[in-house]
Amino acid sequence: MWRGLWTLVARAARGPRSPRPCTRQGSGVSVPGSGATIFALSSGHGRCGIAVIRTSGPASGHALRSLTAPRDLPPARSACLRLLSHPRSGEPLDRALVLWFPGPQSFTGEDCAEFHVHGGPAVVSGVLQALGSVPGLRPAEAGEFTRRAFAHGKLSLTEVEGLADLIHAETEAQRRQALRQLDGELGHLCHGWARTLTKALAHVEAYIDFGEDDNLEEGVLEQANSEVRELQLALGAHLRDARRGQRLRSGAHVVVAGPPNAGKSSLVNLLSRKPVSIVSPEPGTTRDVLETPVDLAGFPALLSDTAGLREGAGPVEQEGVRRARERLEQADLILAVLDASDLASPSSCNFLDTVVAPAGAGSPNGNSQRLLLVLNKSDLLPPGGPDPSPNLRPHLLLSCLTGEGLDGLLEALRKELAEVCGDPSTGPPLLTRARHQHHLQGCLDALGHYTQTKDLALAAEALRLARGHLARITGGGGTEEILDIIFRDFCVGK
Ligand SMILES: Nc1nc2c(ncn2[C@@H]2O[C@H](COP(=O)(O)OP(=O)(O)OP(=O)(O)O)[C@@H](O)[C@H]2O)c(=O)[nH]1
Ligand SMILES: [Mg+2]
């Protein structure tokens, strides 16, 4: 039996069965030119109060000493005020805060230095030029600091993506989602799934190797099968939600539609707080689809104004109506706008029958089209008068003219968009990229092969394939763990 265990040890140590362990030791990804020390302006470009320039690589300490001579390196991770001067000419450049982060306790895992200089363009370019004159330093390429952090195991791939999203986040929901991903939530979820697979694989491999051995616990294969079944359910649920995370990253498509003159353009301008569309009392003013990115109740959205839907207009307006209908089909959420004082008109009735009624309330999984019905121009209704349409489906009263009802609309939008995009403050970690979806689907397909095959060797291979897909989401690997689990989880050799 011990010979059997050593066979497993030897197997895990060779070929495709022994990729690097999935630990924070490093991703195993090589960084082109990683021996060099890189430098760059890390804060935004343009005039500002403080600009941050940083370096990463073995010559960082030398660079810091060169610009702050004759002073020594400051204590690690403490801000110190230093006079910066050009290492060759000795010309003073700025009085700045400098920080020294000896590796591996730094963002990239390498020796790093930071110069917090005054943000004038001449100061920034002077310090960058001074750094360029230090031997062994070169300007960083786009994303090179983060790439080094990944290569040194400081960030997983999903965390790298979270960091990128955080930098690009424009709405509260995007920021929350990016922070959660940067905190490693998606990575932890994938690691948890990968651990389940590793365990199942260990069980299957142990059965292959020690199936005849009395000392092997009973029901080993059944346990593996039930773990795989549970995982299939969990992955399936996440994949059904996959579009949400992507909408949260790139913005939900919210289409404003309704009959002519209902106040669609007025609503678009109100929600985007800028004059995107022309507003006029003339029906048929908007003809093209006008898009504007907006922050809607904390969620990112691409808001589209469309032509009023009606029959019998001229050819240009008809083309606008065709485009409006096309856009409606792609909408994640429809904002259906009607004139509250004109609900009995043929165009209002037609719109209610052809757009509002079929859209329905949306399915519980959030994948179908959702619709919010807005009755605009509530200021034209008689004061204290009855609800204009007690038989209508649930709706919101609004006046774009006075702003009354806007808070209620924003709250309704927040709820709808939390369904459409997923709520990053409460829900499970979201799959924000097609890459995540692709590998999760690959994992699920491989698990499908596992459940179908009768051949144990093929079943084990399917599990390895499934685990490889999960590992690729976070950018890690991991096969040596199987052995750890065999020793810990089984009684082989007792
Ligand atoms: N009284 C009142 N008038 C409004 C309100 N909202 C919009 N209007 C007016 O209604 C008219 C039509 O508004 P638009 O926003 O251009 O309507 P639309 O639906 O985009 O019209 P089309 O592009 O022609 O389909 C304009 O004269 C607006 O000032 C409202 O809440 N109350
Ligand atoms: Mg319009």
Side-chain angles (χ1 to χ4, degrees), residues 32-379:
S34 58
T37 297
I38 52 173
F39 65 92
L41 173 67
S42 288
S43 52
H45 287 267
R47 218 175 298 273
C48 54
I50 302 287
V52 178
I53 293 164
R54 62 177 169 171
T55 72
S56 177
S60 287
H62 175 58
L64 187 48
R65 262 193 298 262
S66 301
L67 266 71
T68 56
R71 309 284 294 272
D72 280 339
L73 284 178
R77 292 174 293 282
S78 303
C80 291
L81 190 65
R82 293 278 193 273
L83 176 69
L84 303 185
S85 37
H86 198 287
R88 295 223 176 113
S89 64
E91 188 186 348
L93 299 168
D94 193 14
R95 194 169 288 279
L97 282 183
V98 297
L99 287 117
W100 165 234
F101 299 95
Q105 288 167 282
S106 67
F107 172 70
T108 59
E110 302 177 327
D111 285 352
C112 290
E114 279 184 15
F115 303 83
H116 295 216
V117 301
H118 292 102
V123 176
V124 171
S125 75
V127 175
L128 290 175
Q129 272 177 25
L131 285 171
S133 73
V134 177
L137 265 72
R138 65 160 174 82
E141 284 164 25
E144 208 174 354
F145 285 93
T146 310
R147 199 165 163 190
R148 288 185 177 203
F150 173 60
H152 293 115
K154 289 283 173 175
L155 293 172
S156 71
L157 255 197
T158 46
E159 287 164 351
V160 167
E161 289 167 341
L163 182 61
D165 287 349
L166 189 62
I167 290 168
H168 292 109
E170 288 187 353
T171 67
E172 235 175 86
Q174 284 175 321
R175 188 201 65 221
R176 277 196 214 117
Q177 159 61 27
L179 254 186
R180 282 182 67 175
Q181 192 163 327
L182 179 58
D183 281 347
E185 280 198 27
L186 180 58
H188 292 150
L189 190 68
C190 291
H191 284 138
W193 288 334
R195 270 197 301 277
T196 305
L197 279 183
T198 303
K199 202 169 164 184
L201 182 54
H203 289 183
V204 173
E205 292 212 332
Y207 191 84
I208 293 173
D209 285 282
F210 310 113
E212 307 295 313
D213 196 313
D214 296 343
N215 287 327
L216 198 62
E217 282 176 3
E218 283 192 9
V220 157
L221 272 187
E222 289 70 18
Q223 208 176 322
N225 290 344
S226 94
E227 279 160 358
V228 166
R229 265 195 305 277
E230 273 180 36
L231 194 60
Q232 280 175 311
L233 291 177
L235 295 183
H238 265 80
L239 274 169
R240 277 194 294 282
D241 264 2
R243 285 263 303 133
R244 291 180 169 188
Q246 288 171 45
R247 284 188 202 118
L248 186 57
R249 263 193 84 233
S250 46
H253 287 259
V254 179
V255 177
V256 181
N261 236 12
K264 303 178 296 299
S265 300
S266 305
L267 180 57
V268 167
N269 293 350
L270 188 66
L271 291 174
S272 59
R273 293 181 289 270
K274 55 183 190 244
V276 176
S277 300
I278 298 174
V279 168
S280 104
E282 190 182 317
T285 306
T286 307
R287 292 173 175 201
D288 262 323
V289 175
L290 293 169
E291 283 183 343
T292 184
V294 286
D295 176 342
L296 273 187
F299 287 87
L302 195 62
L303 195 60
S304 300
D305 188 11
T306 59
L309 301 178
R310 66 169 165 182
E311 307 298 328
V316 177
E317 200 181 331
Q318 276 312 308
E319 174 58 17
V321 170
R322 191 193 64 75
R323 291 181 186 201
R325 292 197 193 280
E326 193 176 77
R327 190 52 62 102
L328 272 174
E329 279 168 25
Q330 300 156 2
D332 295 315
L333 173 64
I334 299 171
L335 264 181
V337 185
L338 286 162
D339 182 337
S341 65
D342 186 37
L343 290 174
S345 70
S347 59
S348 291
C349 294
N350 189 272
F351 181 73
L352 283 167
D353 291 344
T354 57
V355 176
V356 177
S363 77
N365 63 17
N367 287 337
S368 82
Q369 227 171 19
R370 307 184 73 90
L371 182 143
L372 269 181
L373 181 57
V374 180
L375 303 187
N376 186 34
K377 307 195 188 183
S378 61
D379 54 287

Side-chain angles (χ1 to χ4, degrees), residues 94 237 291 307 381 415 449:
D94 193 14
E291 283 183 343
L381 295 174
K415 285 193 188 133
H449 292 142

Side-chain angles (χ1 to χ4, degrees), residues 8-44:
L8 276 181
V9 174
R11 186 193 299 160
R14 72 168 184 258
R17 291 176 140 198
S18 57
R20 293 177 59 85
C22 182
T23 66
R24 289 294 177 114
Q25 301 303 305
S27 65
V29 173
S30 66
V31 180
S34 58
T37 297
I38 52 173
F39 65 92
L41 173 67
S42 288
S43 52

